[in-house]
Amino acid sequence: MTKAEYKQTFTDEDAVGWMSIDQQLEKLYPGQEPQHYGTVVKYMIGGNDPLDGLSIYESSKHTDHFHIVSYGLSELYYNEESAGGEFSKWGFELTFRVKKANGESPSDQAWAMNMMQNLARYVFSSKRWFEEYHALDARGPIRIGYDTDITALAFVTDPELGTIDTPHGQVQFLQIVGLTTDEFKSLTVNNGDKTVEEVITQLRANDPLLITDLGRK
């Protein structure tokens, strides 16, 4: 899309990139109204949270789980200078699938949203981004105060949302996947014998959506 086409199609009141994300989610969850959590003070005007919002959808595919999607790592709002770019801002948004447990509701997933904000904060402050099959040590349980052996994270392209083209450029939905302590230790970056892709392939054999189960050992 050229800048001229962009100006003819949208106005400065349109959240162009946000609408592109919503359109992809509507295809996956037709008619479902997600629980949305917006940032009170936007990062662009001095707030502490880089993500302008996070939406939580509920899925029963494979295993009942929450599907959390970020808004803020790609260009969300009207911006003529971003029209027709190769990548929309950082070129991705984060997603995270968490297995439902103990009757929890979307409001109980504040820990997951805080984690996603922290990951976004790292991207904005370091000017480094995550890519598929990147892995990192969480240096402890990813949910503080919860009995879990999920202590590391890996990143893959979300198996259902994939990558989309927007008026601002490409946006990849990059899904966070929880790894156990032993899985992270087995990686070649820790002198193990497996690549991140190999570990993900093993997990995908039993769980094609790569849902993070905090009870997994």
Side-chain angles (χ1 to χ4, degrees):
M1 175 176 285
T2 66
K3 185 181 294 188
E5 292 171 332
Y6 187 89
K7 293 169 68 174
Q8 290 176 348
T9 305
F10 305 107
T11 73
D12 58 8
E13 295 183 355
D14 290 328
V16 180
W18 195 302
M19 291 189 296
S20 296
I21 295 171
D22 281 350
Q23 287 168 3
Q24 186 72 347
L25 286 162
E26 177 62 23
K27 293 176 185 176
L28 183 59
Y29 298 108
Q32 183 178 152
E33 186 68 29
Q35 187 71 45
H36 185 77
Y37 297 86
T39 301
V40 177
V41 181
K42 295 187 184 301
Y43 194 74
M44 66 180 72
I45 58 173
N48 293 320
D49 296 325
L51 301 176
D52 281 10
L54 293 127
S55 284
I56 304 181
Y57 290 81
E58 298 188 49
S59 175
S60 58
K61 293 180 182 177
H62 189 68
T63 299
D64 287 348
H65 65 280
F66 298 109
H67 192 185
I68 311 172
V69 182
S70 76
Y71 292 77
L73 287 158
S74 62
E75 187 68 63
L76 298 178
Y77 307 108
Y78 183 91
N79 187 339
E80 295 173 12
E81 299 307 313
S82 297
E86 182 178 2
F87 299 103
S88 178
K89 198 189 297 191
W90 295 103
F92 70 96
E93 291 290 351
L94 293 170
T95 76
F96 189 34
R97 296 173 187 266
V98 186
K99 182 180 178 180
K100 288 186 180 181
N102 303 321
E104 288 190 339
S105 67
S107 62
D108 295 308
Q109 308 313 306
W111 67 273
M113 292 186 285
N114 288 336
M115 181 185 72
M116 294 170 77
Q117 286 283 12
N118 284 334
L119 291 171
R121 198 171 288 114
Y122 167 81
V123 172
F124 276 76
S125 63
S126 70
K127 309 302 181 186
R128 299 178 180 179
W129 57 90
F130 300 112
E131 296 181 347
E132 188 165 37
Y133 302 128
H134 185 104
L136 59 87
D137 187 357
R139 303 186 184 280
I142 65 171
R143 183 172 182 176
I144 297 173
Y146 196 93
D147 183 18
T148 179
D149 189 43
I150 303 298
T151 58
L153 306 173
F155 299 85
V156 300
T157 302
D158 189 294
E160 291 188 308
L161 292 175
T163 299
I164 60 173
D165 291 319
T166 79
H168 298 142
Q170 191 177 87
V171 176
Q172 177 188 33
F173 291 95
L174 199 60
Q175 181 173 314
I176 303 163
V177 180
L179 302 180
T180 66
T181 301
D182 284 344
E183 285 166 348
F184 187 69
K185 287 180 179 178
S186 74
L187 298 178
T188 53
V189 293
N190 297 315
N191 297 316
D193 59 357
K194 296 178 182 177
T195 65
V196 176
E197 185 173 4
E198 286 172 335
V199 170
I200 291 296
T201 298
Q202 290 178 339
L203 292 174
R204 188 178 276 124
N206 295 317
D207 179 10
L209 293 182
L210 296 169
I211 299 162
T212 295
D213 177 0
L214 295 178
R216 192 168 65 82
K217 302 294 185 180

